[in-house]
Amino acid sequence: MKIRKLFIVATAYVVALTISCIKKDVDPDLTGVAAKLQGKWMITGYINDMGQDEYQSMPGCEKDNIITYEKYTVSVNEGSFKCDATDPQSFSSTFTLNGNGVDLLTYTGNEGDDLDEMKIVYLDETTLKLKDAISNLTITYTKQSDSKLFHTYLVGKWKMTGYIKNGVDVWNLAPGTCLKGTDGVCTASIPYCVRDDINTFTVVDNYLADEGLTKCSPTDPQTTKGTYLIENNKHQLTIYLGGQAVVYNLVVLNSTTMVIHEVGTATNDYEMYSRL
């Protein structure tokens, strides 16, 4: 499989986004154009080789892809959705930057035998515009802040698949049983009525809690609507539901996995979720 000029349409790549390990600084060895390229970008404009604007008609599974430039490697991540479920989740390539008055990005295919050249027609701290070296194909990208990237990954449906309480893994305990920690406290397992809950985050910052097939109380509503907020500077997710606000630290968030820690609980409490 080879990288094509339009990265988002090639195959899927993913650079798993581990929140606690996000790099904030550009490599000090890079300057000028190379330094400005560093970071994560999403497509925000697409003009085909006939000069026609096709961005609005592009499917969402392509618009949510994230292109990452780091040193002289480039990778593309599928975001939240794949256009083809059989696509590999990720792969990466290398690129060279040629000056000579015109900045050309030359990409090597992941098999090392394919070359694509794109001319940089505009680049600043927020916008990258590339034009095919031999046609009118023009692609515009916008650099993404952490909060935008978190939002891209978060959108979709999630289900709990793991739970650490007071440092004790209680997920695999049989419902109705408990396990004593080093402090002698008996930590209960997670009941089925919680395990089958479905949590949905929408593009417009709405949150929906669905009780799934079983309810912990027959009087509970099947679904409850709320909203959510991602705070960029704190890597935190706040869910507003039923008149209350619950704040979580985002420990891990990528296209398949979310690990969160509720602020105010024990430091070794973690909830794990998998994307549906």
Side-chain angles (χ1 to χ4, degrees), residues 1-2 4 6-14 59 61-62 64-65 76-91 110 255-256:
M1 193 172 299
K2 302 178 179 67
R4 292 167 48 188
L6 179 55
F7 280 34
I8 57 166
V9 179
T11 188
Y13 318 140
V14 161
C61 60
E62 294 177 355
D64 71 349
N65 288 4
V76 180
N77 108 31
E78 278 271 354
S80 300
F81 307 101
K82 288 184 178 182
C83 294
D84 185 340
T86 63
D87 281 344
Q89 192 65 43
S90 67
F91 75 83
N110 68 312
S255 60
T256 61

Side-chain angles (χ1 to χ4, degrees), residues 119-166:
K119 177 183 176 182
I120 299 176
V121 294
Y122 185 83
L123 174 62
D124 63 14
E125 286 72 17
T126 61
T127 304
L128 168 65
K129 184 176 288 189
L130 301 179
K131 181 179 181 296
D132 181 52
I134 59 175
S135 76
N136 292 320
L137 173 66
T138 304
I139 310 170
T140 301
Y141 300 92
T142 300
K143 184 168 282 190
Q144 302 299 302
S145 66
D146 286 348
S147 61
K148 289 183 179 179
L149 292 174
F150 301 163
H151 188 271
T152 297
Y153 282 118
L154 187 62
V155 170
K157 295 183 178 182
W158 299 85
K159 192 173 183 180
M160 183 181 282
T161 52
Y163 190 71
I164 304 294
K165 181 67 175 177
N166 293 322

